[in-house]
């Protein structure tokens, strides 16, 4: 049974999240309409349909609601969230199917990120509802890293907008990606260790980009460039697996690949192929974020 306290906490969180995003979602919906210059391709229409769903569904159901009232109880709200989440995932799957198409409008990526952001919020509300104390369950470290990775392009876009006379922060290479991502990590983790040395392998050694020692997790950063392909990523990560397999504090590996130029086609398929455990590394998550 969902407690009244948990319901109040979840309700407050969901209303605040929706209010903070609904104006942007409305603007996004209008901006990605095919008649705004994106043509009449299937990808353009899919992006618009997904944006329209996100804006209209949240505006109608979750912007200003009460429990009891709009929803009879916390259980009723949970059922509505489950239905909304199923629709979100269907739209995400539809948009991801266009990942390798050269006709994909650039707006599709931004819509996909907003759908994923809404999905994270739904998961958080469900945790609040199902927690007896109203306190969310501690997120798995990989889930937290995925959330940071999903929102990374939004942070990059924000930092590129500076006042006149101030230089923007732009991502020129993987060292810039590492610099920014590590700063974001400190919002979630107390012990973030950059460039941790790895033991010698075959007479040589290297440095892990980042180590979350308390969670026995190594994070690797990469940024694509012109001519960079999936085969290059596969080779680089294969070399990383060899190095990190002997790292004394690496039970998990999170590889973040920033691909603003969309050089990796079928990136979700590549992610899945490169996210298999590599003993003795128990868990591997490769996350490709396209701009």
């Amino acid at each position: 049974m969902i407690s009244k306290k948990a319901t109040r906490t979840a309700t407050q969180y969901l209303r605040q999240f929706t209010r903070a995003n609904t104006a942007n979602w409305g603007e996004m919906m209008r901006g990605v309409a095919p008649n705004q210059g994106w043509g009449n391709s299937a990808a353009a229409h899919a992006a618009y349909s997904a944006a329209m769903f996100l804006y209209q569904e949240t505006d109608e159901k979750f912007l200003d609601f009460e429990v009891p009232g709009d929803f009879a109880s916390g259980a009723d709200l949970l059922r509505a969230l489950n239905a909304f989440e199923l629709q979100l995932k269907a739209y995400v799957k539809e948009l991801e199917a266009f990942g390798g198409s050269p006709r994909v409008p650039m707006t599709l990526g931004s819509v996909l990120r907003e759908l994923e952001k809404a999905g994270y919020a739904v998961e958080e509300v469900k945790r609040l509802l199902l927690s007896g104390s109203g306190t969310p369950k501690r997120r798995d470290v990989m889930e937290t890293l995925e959330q940071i990775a999903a929102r990374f392009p939004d942070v990059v876009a924000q930092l590129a907008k500076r006042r006149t006379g101030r230089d923007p922060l732009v991502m020129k290479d993987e060292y810039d990606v590492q610099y920014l991502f590590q700063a974001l990590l400190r919002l979630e983790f107390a012990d973030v260790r950059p460039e941790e040395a790895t033991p010698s392998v075959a007479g040589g050694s290297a440095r892990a980009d980042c180590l979350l020692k308390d969670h026995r997790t190594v994070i690797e950063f990469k940024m694509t460039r012109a001519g960079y392909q999936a085969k290059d990523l596969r080779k680089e990560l294969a070399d990383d697996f060899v190095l990190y397999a002997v790292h004394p504090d690496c039970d998990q590996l999170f590889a973040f690949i920033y691909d603003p130029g969309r050089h990796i086609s079928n990136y979700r398929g590549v992610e899945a192929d490169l996210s298999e455990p590599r003993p003795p590394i128990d868990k591997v998550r490769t996350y490709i974020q396209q701009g």
Side-chain angles (χ1 to χ4, degrees), residues 30-282:
R30 292 184 287 272
V32 302
N35 61 9
Q36 296 299 313
W38 298 108
N40 291 310
S41 69
H45 283 280
Y48 177 63
S49 295
M52 184 166 57
F53 160 77
L54 181 60
Y55 171 68
Q56 293 183 345
E57 193 77 359
T58 54
D59 181 72
E60 178 183 343
K61 293 184 177 179
F62 305 125
L63 182 60
D64 289 298
F65 70 96
E66 297 291 341
V67 180
D70 301 276
F71 300 99
S73 63
D76 190 27
L77 175 59
L78 181 61
R79 283 190 290 270
L81 287 169
N82 285 333
F84 176 65
E85 187 175 37
L86 284 175
Q87 290 177 289
L88 270 180
K89 290 180 177 179
Y91 276 107
V92 168
K93 185 176 181 180
E94 181 181 7
L95 297 192
E96 288 179 345
F98 293 101
S101 170
R103 298 184 302 277
V104 177
M106 292 299 290
T107 51
L108 190 146
S110 62
V111 174
L112 184 57
R113 287 197 300 273
E114 292 303 312
L115 292 175
E116 291 175 337
K117 182 167 70 174
Y120 285 123
V122 169
E123 291 175 2
E124 186 70 7
V125 177
K126 289 169 66 175
R127 289 190 189 97
L128 288 165
L129 284 170
L130 297 174
S131 173
S133 64
T135 302
K137 184 178 68 176
R138 180 185 179 91
R139 284 200 306 265
D140 175 79
V141 61
M142 288 296 198
E143 291 178 355
T144 301
L145 294 175
E146 286 180 12
Q147 185 168 2
I148 294 173
R151 297 179 179 176
F152 189 83
D154 297 327
V155 178
V156 172
Q158 182 64 42
L159 292 176
K161 301 175 183 178
R162 298 292 303 276
R163 292 181 180 272
T164 303
R166 293 183 179 271
D167 294 333
L169 177 63
V170 295
M171 299 294 103
K172 296 180 180 178
D173 53 37
E174 64 187 48
Y175 295 106
D176 292 327
V177 173
Q178 178 179 343
Y179 174 77
L180 177 56
F181 202 103
Q182 286 178 346
L184 297 173
L185 286 173
R186 296 184 185 279
L187 297 173
E188 300 285 349
F189 303 99
D191 187 359
V192 179
R193 305 189 183 191
E195 299 192 340
E196 182 80 7
T198 63
S200 175
V201 177
S205 62
R207 304 187 74 84
D209 285 348
C210 184
L211 172 67
L212 303 179
K213 187 176 177 64
D214 293 344
H215 301 277
R216 301 184 60 79
T217 300
V218 166
I219 307 173
E220 178 72 17
F221 303 101
K222 301 184 186 300
M223 181 173 173
T224 64
R225 54 197 175 275
Y228 193 97
Q229 300 178 15
K231 65 179 181 180
D232 301 306
L233 175 60
R234 294 177 190 276
K235 182 182 185 306
E236 289 179 12
L237 284 183
D239 293 340
D240 292 335
F241 291 140
V242 173
L243 288 172
Y244 299 143
V246 297
H247 195 291
D249 295 310
C250 181
D251 292 339
Q252 300 187 129
L253 173 63
F254 186 87
F256 176 63
I257 296 87
Y258 186 43
D259 183 29
R262 298 171 177 261
H263 299 295
I264 300 178
S265 60
N266 187 27
Y267 67 101
R268 292 303 188 201
V270 175
E271 277 185 347
D273 292 344
L274 296 176
S275 293
E276 295 294 327
R278 306 296 176 102
I281 304 176
D282 297 330

